[in-house]
Amino acid sequence: MGRTHSLEIIVSADAIAGGNSSVVVKNGASFMEVIGLDFALGLLPQESEVQVIATGTVGNDTIHLLSRIIRKSHVFVSLDLSSVQELTRVRNSPLQGNERLRSIHFPSNLVSINEYALAECSALVGTCIPATVQQIGSHAFYHCGLLSTLKFFDASGWFYNESPATDLDNPVDNPAKFTLPGSKYSSLPLYKKQ
C-alpha cells in the first residue's frame, strides 16, 4: 500500500459542493489553504494516504459528491465525518465501490446505513458503527476484502431475521461476518430492537 502522510485536509460542505471555498491542508502545525478538495488531493504523491475531515451541514447528496472526488483521486483517504451535521442516514450507496476509501468515521447522529452502502470498497480496512445506528442494510460491507476492524460502539440489542445477533462485541472478528459471501450478516439486514 501507499506511504502514510500525517496530512489532514479539512473541507467544508461548500467546498465539497464545488464552490470557490478553500480547504485547509494541515501537516502538523503547518497549514495552507487551497481551492477545492480535488486540487488538494492532486497535490499529494500517488498512492499516499490522507485524512479528510468534513465539516458543516453535509447531506447525502454531498456525500455522493465527496465520494466521487475521492474515487477520482490517486490517494487513499480516511474519511472523518464525525463533525458533520444533518447526516442521519447513508442512502443510495454513495460510497459503494470506492476503491480509494481506507476508513470512515461516521457522525454520532447517524441512525441507518443502507444496503450496499460500503460494499466493494476494496481498500477499506476499518470503521466504527456509532451507538445511534439502528439499522444496517444487507450487504453493507459486502466484498470489503481488507476490512480488518468493524467496531460497534454498542454491540447489544442487534437482530437479524428476528434472531438475536449476540456476537458483535469483537471488532476484529466482525469483518468476516459482514464481508464473506453466504454469511447471515452480509445477506440480511441488521437492526436494533427498541
Side-chain angles (χ1 to χ4, degrees), residues 57-64 81 84-95 104 106-118 129-130 132-137 140 158 190-192 194:
T57 302
V58 174
N60 212 58
D61 291 340
T62 307
I63 295 298
H64 277 275
L81 300 172
V84 304
Q85 302 164 11
E86 295 190 21
L87 182 65
T88 58
R89 301 183 192 294
V90 177
R91 298 185 315 265
N92 304 323
S93 307
L95 298 163
I104 186 165
F106 292 110
S108 61
N109 61 337
L110 191 71
V111 295
S112 73
I113 300 171
N114 78 307
E115 61 277 349
Y116 295 97
L118 294 161
I129 307 298
T132 53
V133 171
Q134 300 295 308
Q135 180 178 348
I136 300 173
W158 286 96
L190 199 64
Y191 61 93
K192 274 200 160 193
Q194 304 294 0

Side-chain angles (χ1 to χ4, degrees), residues 68-114:
R68 199 171 309 132
I69 293 168
I70 294 169
R71 185 177 279 119
K72 290 180 180 179
S73 76
H74 57 266
V75 299
F76 293 103
V77 173
S78 293
L79 182 58
D80 185 345
L81 300 172
S82 63
S83 298
V84 304
Q85 302 164 11
E86 295 190 21
L87 182 65
T88 58
R89 301 183 192 294
V90 177
R91 298 185 315 265
N92 304 323
S93 307
L95 298 163
Q96 181 180 357
N98 195 321
E99 297 174 351
R100 293 287 165 190
L101 186 64
R102 177 71 77 211
S103 67
I104 186 165
H105 189 137
F106 292 110
S108 61
N109 61 337
L110 191 71
V111 295
S112 73
I113 300 171
N114 78 307

Side-chain angles (χ1 to χ4, degrees), residues 172-186:
V172 176
D173 291 340
N174 285 339
K177 296 172 189 159
F178 289 90
T179 62
L180 296 178
S183 166
K184 61 187 175 189
Y185 296 127
S186 70

